[in-house]
Amino acid sequence: MGYCPESKGLISAFTPRQLLTLLFRIRGLPQKVITEKIREISISLCLQGLINKKIGQLPRSIRRRVSIAIAFMANSNVLILDEPTRGLPAIEKRLIWNVLRYLRYCGNSIIFATTDSHECDVLADTVLVVDDGVMLAIGSAHYLRQKFTVGFYLDIKLRLDGSTDEETDKNLKIDLENVSRFISFLHSSSELIKVNSNVLIYYVPVEDVSYSYLFGSLEKNRRRLNISEYSVCHGSLTNGMENILKARLEKRKFSKST
């Protein structure tokens, strides 16, 4: 079983090559095999130019890659990772995610703890929500979004019509008003989250969404509202987790009051 702790757990005076060589020798591997395995690991994690530098001199993101490399060296079908990308820049996260997705594709089981809901969306087949050691929910990211978020987000892009800038702005203002009335018809508590020229994002807090009715209404009014394109999506996994934790907090308060 390969394991990557959240804490460093590295020897600063060693280079990545020296540390991996030591651990491989403890496992009893011959030098020829060790050299080949270190080459494979360094290529997969883009450590080729850093493999012979002191770990203490490496930036945090590279040290994190070295920790994950140590987990890989177990050559196990099961990997356990504790916050594998916490605090790393986006490009470093993507590199590690790509490696983990490839390992999953090869049939390995990967168990990881994270507070990043986007990481769950990208990597996880099954998400387990835990708070203070208590399991609160389990399922795919899609299931949790569908089960524990309310309503939906509607992205709308309007056509820009007009022979002059003034005419285009005037037509766009009319279209915005028409769309606003239409969204209010869907739900009176609908909220305009973002507007950027002719692109709008609405949150519609409908508890039970009838998608046949929703898409039927959008298609029926698409030409009248001058809609170029639109998309509908559930709330984010972050919203779902917040709702799960909020429900647990309310349950605790109710238990104390009784």
Side-chain angles (χ1 to χ4, degrees):
M1 180 179 70
Y3 174 63
C4 175
E6 182 182 356
S7 57
K8 298 175 184 177
L10 301 173
I11 304 174
S12 298
F14 280 25
T15 66
R17 182 183 297 278
Q18 290 171 337
L19 182 56
L20 291 171
T21 299
L22 172 63
L23 296 174
F24 275 128
R25 283 182 174 173
I26 291 173
R27 293 170 62 87
L29 273 66
Q31 184 58 46
K32 185 177 180 181
V33 176
I34 291 175
T35 302
E36 180 61 25
K37 284 188 172 293
I38 290 177
R39 187 185 73 84
E40 292 175 358
I41 290 174
S42 63
I43 290 174
S44 65
L45 289 168
C46 297
L47 292 170
Q48 300 98 310
L50 306 163
I51 199 73
N52 294 314
K53 292 187 178 181
K54 298 285 187 183
I55 292 174
Q57 299 173 356
L58 297 174
R60 182 178 180 276
S61 60
I62 305 301
R63 293 199 301 269
R64 195 61 183 153
R65 281 194 240 167
V66 175
S67 296
I68 293 174
I70 293 173
F72 289 174
M73 62 169 286
N75 196 29
S76 170
N77 290 330
V78 179
L79 285 175
I80 298 179
L81 311 172
D82 188 5
E83 298 281 3
T85 63
R86 184 175 186 180
L88 299 185
I91 190 169
E92 293 288 339
K93 287 186 177 185
R94 291 289 177 183
L95 188 150
I96 293 172
W97 290 351
N98 288 339
V99 174
L100 294 178
R101 281 189 289 199
Y102 175 73
L103 290 174
R104 182 183 63 179
Y105 173 78
C106 292
N108 296 283
S109 297
I110 302 172
I111 303 170
F112 65 95
T114 183
T115 54
D116 185 350
S117 61
H118 182 53
E119 190 165 57
C120 291
D121 259 331
V122 171
L123 294 178
D125 295 316
T126 302
V127 179
L128 181 67
V129 183
V130 177
D131 182 46
D132 291 336
V134 178
M135 185 182 75
L136 303 181
I138 185 172
S140 66
H142 175 74
Y143 168 78
L144 294 179
R145 282 197 301 270
Q146 189 175 33
K147 180 74 173 177
F148 297 104
T149 59
V150 177
F152 59 90
Y153 290 85
L154 176 60
D155 295 15
I156 296 175
K157 183 178 181 180
L158 299 173
R159 291 188 181 88
L160 294 175
D161 296 333
S163 56
T164 64
D165 290 342
E166 291 78 9
E167 186 179 355
T168 299
D169 291 341
K170 181 181 178 181
N171 291 339
L172 179 59
K173 184 178 180 180
I174 294 172
D175 291 338
L176 290 173
E177 292 174 354
N178 290 336
V179 168
S180 178
R181 284 194 290 269
F182 174 75
I183 297 298
S184 297
F185 167 75
L186 292 178
H187 197 287
S188 58
S189 298
S190 299
E191 181 182 357
L192 178 61
I193 302 296
K194 185 178 180 181
V195 56
N196 183 11
S197 182
N198 63 324
V199 179
L200 314 169
I201 301 178
Y202 281 94
Y203 171 62
V204 184
V206 178
E207 293 189 7
D208 296 317
V209 183
S210 173
Y211 287 103
S212 59
Y213 174 79
L214 173 62
F215 285 109
S217 298
L218 285 167
E219 287 298 321
K220 183 178 179 180
N221 292 277
R222 185 170 184 170
R223 184 185 296 272
R224 180 180 68 83
L225 298 174
N226 209 20
I227 295 175
S228 170
E229 54 190 74
Y230 64 87
S231 65
V232 177
C233 65
H234 288 293
S236 67
L237 188 57
T238 301
N239 298 141
M241 290 183 176
E242 288 173 352
N243 291 337
I244 292 171
L245 296 174
K246 189 185 297 183
R248 188 186 185 210
L249 183 61
E250 290 175 356
K251 184 177 180 181
R252 281 178 171 175
K253 290 180 179 178
F254 177 77
S255 299
K256 287 181 180 180
S257 63
T258 56

